[in-house]
Amino acid sequence: MKWFGRRQKAGTMRRSDTPDQAHLRDFAQTRQGVEGFVEPRTAVTEYTLLLVAIDGEWTRRRVPSVRWAHDFANKLGIPSYDAAVVGYPPRMREYNARMKKNGLA
């Protein structure tokens, strides 16, 4: 009996799913000045899309492919960049520092 739902075999990467995509859409539509940063595959995760709002608040979710991530951003009218090329915006680090200082991270 499985106590906590479905489990994958060890070493199996979890793929992007509909709740991930819905979360990204909700974040982009409820924040101002959102930009997307497409992150490359790694040994432990598939492609991810990092969305960063104008105040530095951010979220990250798995996506099916680099092309999907850029198309998603284009459909929502937000700019998207390759994170490996442009890096991350300073406002994201500043947001993380504010949250840590306020004991929220």
Side-chain angles (χ1 to χ4, degrees):
M1 176 154 87
K2 294 183 183 175
W3 291 95
F4 299 104
R6 295 185 326 209
R7 292 182 49 124
Q8 294 180 342
K9 289 202 280 184
T12 302
M13 286 192 239
R14 187 178 75 81
R15 297 209 177 265
S16 167
D17 56 16
T18 302
D20 290 335
Q21 296 169 20
H23 174 79
L24 290 170
R25 182 172 287 106
D26 180 63
F27 184 91
Q29 293 175 339
T30 59
R31 287 11 177 240
Q32 292 184 347
V34 175
E35 294 178 311
F37 296 86
V38 182
E39 299 172 314
R41 285 175 63 170
T42 67
V44 292
T45 61
E46 290 290 329
Y47 300 105
T48 54
L49 177 59
L50 173 75
L51 297 180
V52 183
I54 199 164
D55 66 349
E57 183 182 3
W58 60 275
T59 191
R60 173 186 286 123
R61 291 292 187 273
R62 290 173 181 88
V63 294
S65 68
V66 171
R67 179 161 185 101
W68 185 96
H70 287 294
D71 288 346
F72 173 84
N74 289 340
K75 287 177 188 172
L76 294 178
I78 61 175
S80 61
Y81 312 99
D82 289 320
V85 175
V86 301
Y88 299 103
R91 69 182 181 273
M92 182 179 156
R93 286 185 289 280
E94 293 162 0
Y95 176 84
N96 288 341
R98 281 193 313 273
M99 293 296 109
K100 187 174 183 177
K101 180 181 176 185
N102 295 331
L104 300 173

